[in-house]
Amino acid sequence: QVQLEESGGGLVQAGGSLRLSCVASGHTLSSYAAGWFRQAPGKAREFVGGMIWSGTRTSYADAVKGRFTISRDNARNTFYLQMTSLKPEDTAVYYCAVADHPYGLAESDYGYWGQGTQVTVSS
């Protein structure tokens, strides 16, 4: 059973940056796609972006394209979400997730979730 733990959330001013990390245990991350989701208060969870097992292909939501970047270090069983040019509307709980197969880039592909980390962007 894979377990995921996020870190790196916090409070940042608009225009600032944060990097979220997600460490996987009980599961070798290198064979599976990994991604990030977020959920703002009163809103449905939304897919932020994902990366296939090799790191050679990614997919991002339109709202974060050009500002957020996913990367992974399979040797450390860790993947990251680098967030730049943050906006107040990026405020949400961010969840890391691992897909059920190597090429998952759709929300329905993800079956393992972390507990979430709060990101708050002040204006």
Side-chain angles (χ1 to χ4, degrees):
Q1 180 73 17
V2 64
Q3 293 183 325
L4 303 172
E5 183 173 358
E6 304 97 339
S7 62
L11 174 65
V12 64
Q13 289 188 330
S17 300
L18 278 176
R19 188 176 81 156
L20 306 183
S21 300
C22 182
V23 179
S25 59
H27 195 64
T28 301
L29 186 62
S30 60
S31 299
Y32 299 90
W36 293 87
F37 293 74
R38 68 185 182 184
Q39 187 166 20
K43 295 187 177 181
R45 184 179 65 198
E46 65 173 338
F47 179 65
V48 173
M51 173 179 279
I52 68 170
W53 70 278
S54 62
T56 56
R57 184 180 172 193
T58 55
S59 177
Y60 295 96
D62 288 343
V64 306
K65 278 181 183 176
R67 300 189 298 121
F68 290 12
T69 303
I70 295 172
S71 61
R72 63 192 297 162
D73 183 344
N74 287 338
R76 296 179 182 269
N77 242 26
T78 302
F79 59 104
Y80 307 93
L81 180 66
Q82 178 68 50
M83 304 183 291
T84 62
S85 301
L86 282 161
K87 305 174 181 180
E89 51 263 44
D90 294 318
T91 296
V93 177
Y94 283 72
Y95 299 89
C96 63
V98 171
D100 298 325
H101 58 87
Y103 297 97
L105 291 177
E107 182 172 356
S108 59
D109 292 325
Y110 290 83
Y112 302 97
W113 300 85
Q115 295 297 310
T117 185
Q118 177 70 46
V119 171
T120 303
V121 184
S122 63
S123 57

